[in-house]
Amino acid sequence: MPRKVREKGIVIGTLTTGEKNCITDVAGVRVGHVTLDEKINQDGAYACTGVTAILPHEGNLFQQKVTAASYVLNGFGKTTGLVQVNELGVIESPIMLTNTFGVPAVTQGTLQFMLDSNNEIGHSTGTINIVVGECNDSYLNSIRECPITPGHAIEAICKASNEPAEEGAVGAGKGMMCFGYKGGIGSSSRIVTHGSTNYTVGCMVLSNFGQSSEFLAHRYTTSNVQSESTSSPTDGSIIIVLATDAPLSSRQLTRVIKRCGIGLGRTGSHFSHGSGDIVIGFTTAHQIAHVSEQLIEIRTQLREDHPIMNQLFAAAAEATEEAILNSLSQAQTTIGRNGHKVEAYQF
């Protein structure tokens, strides 16, 4: 069975991982996948794709929003919802991941789920902001056939749990590639500590970027048996989702998630022209009520110049780097449309 890189003796950074070494180490965070792996017709069309849902907490996300931010490393992407996330500093829906042409269907399905859960949306209160990120899986997936439906988004949300998330060629990662090898979903976590206070940082990536010649494999293995892949993503991208329970403002969260780009760069990426390299972050430390009659809101946040901020920066970089490697180490060789084949990377 595919294993995380730590189980193969590859240790990234110096900070301690969470118990599950997964984004679900952040209390309340849940992840659900729906994976499509089936022939569509007799002409070689094949569904090799899926949907991944990341829920910041177990309650009603519209009624109890979380502090959030996003950061664009390179903007060749087709996300929904990030303009409002950065304007208001909150997320009020599940964070959804899928393929490029699946964004409309996933947005519709997530919207329907949230409407069914909140009768007041569009009636006695305003609208809702749905967040969806994507990568292009068209080498393995018959993306023009648009096999993703709104129902798949709802199913992924309903399947979400706080168990260690499946990784590799699952959910939105089913048809993705990383450095020319099979990529997809990867996750990792870190614990930062000051005295008796601990905070958790969890990362989940949807990896779909890079040529094999760019992969800094020598940093992780001394083996020379891995042949160079000739496959590469059509338009390589990565969506990085960072979760924490540290009490941060939206501005502070932006500072932390910028450091995810360091972890991405350590693997060999240079954020290429055609890559949508986007980070979405949230903290579960604050739940912001949708309705309140209070004039003033009081929230705690970390002091900017406290040394623990540097630990959070390091945690973001380390967890991102390891999550990318886990997306490679746990992905299995996959055959998709027209017999296209992408090999798993052997660490």
Side-chain angles (χ1 to χ4, degrees), residues 63-288:
Q63 297 296 337
Q64 298 293 329
K65 310 172 199 304
V66 293
T67 300
S70 72
Y71 185 72
V72 178
L73 296 164
N74 195 71
F76 207 112
K78 290 80 179 171
T79 59
T80 66
L82 297 189
V83 170
Q84 184 169 317
V85 168
N86 285 349
E87 183 71 18
L88 302 183
V90 298
I91 281 177
E92 58 185 9
S93 76
I95 300 165
M96 307 298 290
L97 306 177
T98 189
N99 75 68
T100 308
F101 290 172
V103 170
V106 169
T107 302
Q108 180 61 45
T110 307
L111 173 61
Q112 191 60 57
F113 178 88
M114 296 303 291
L115 291 176
D116 291 344
S117 304
N118 298 273
N119 292 330
E120 65 274 32
I121 296 176
H123 288 305
S124 58
T125 192
T127 59
I128 184 171
N129 186 51
I130 305 297
V131 176
V132 184
E134 55 78 31
C135 295
N136 184 347
D137 60 8
S138 60
Y139 184 76
L140 287 170
N141 177 46
S142 295
I143 196 168
R144 287 176 57 92
E145 300 294 330
C146 297
I148 296 293
T149 68
H152 293 132
I154 295 171
E155 184 181 354
I157 295 169
C158 292
K159 284 184 173 180
S161 82
N162 62 0
E163 296 298 315
E166 289 185 86
E167 299 174 53
V170 297
K174 177 59 184 179
M176 304 300 173
M177 301 161 60
C178 188
F179 291 119
Y181 302 97
K182 190 69 193 71
I185 296 291
S187 194
S188 186
S189 68
R190 293 293 187 275
I191 306 297
V192 301
T193 302
H194 177 73
S196 61
T197 301
N198 294 327
Y199 297 122
T200 303
V201 174
C203 180
M204 177 162 281
V205 301
L206 178 63
S207 69
N208 191 57
F209 67 93
Q211 311 288 331
S212 61
S213 59
E214 298 167 345
F215 185 34
L216 300 181
H218 65 276
R219 297 189 63 236
Y220 312 111
T221 177
T222 57
S223 172
N224 295 314
V225 299
Q226 182 76 43
S227 60
E228 185 170 296
S229 171
T230 57
S231 302
S232 63
T234 304
D235 287 309
S237 298
I238 184 170
I239 303 293
I240 303 168
V241 179
L242 195 81
T244 185
D245 56 6
L248 302 171
S249 68
S250 179
R251 181 190 56 78
Q252 289 177 318
L253 194 57
T254 301
R255 296 191 70 209
V256 172
I257 67 176
K258 284 180 180 179
R259 273 65 181 186
C260 293
I262 297 171
L264 175 58
R266 285 173 179 167
T267 66
S269 172
H270 56 268
F271 318 155
S272 63
H273 163 72
S275 191
D277 303 325
I278 296 166
V279 191
I280 304 167
F282 64 89
T283 172
T284 61
H286 312 127
Q287 290 193 11
I288 301 100

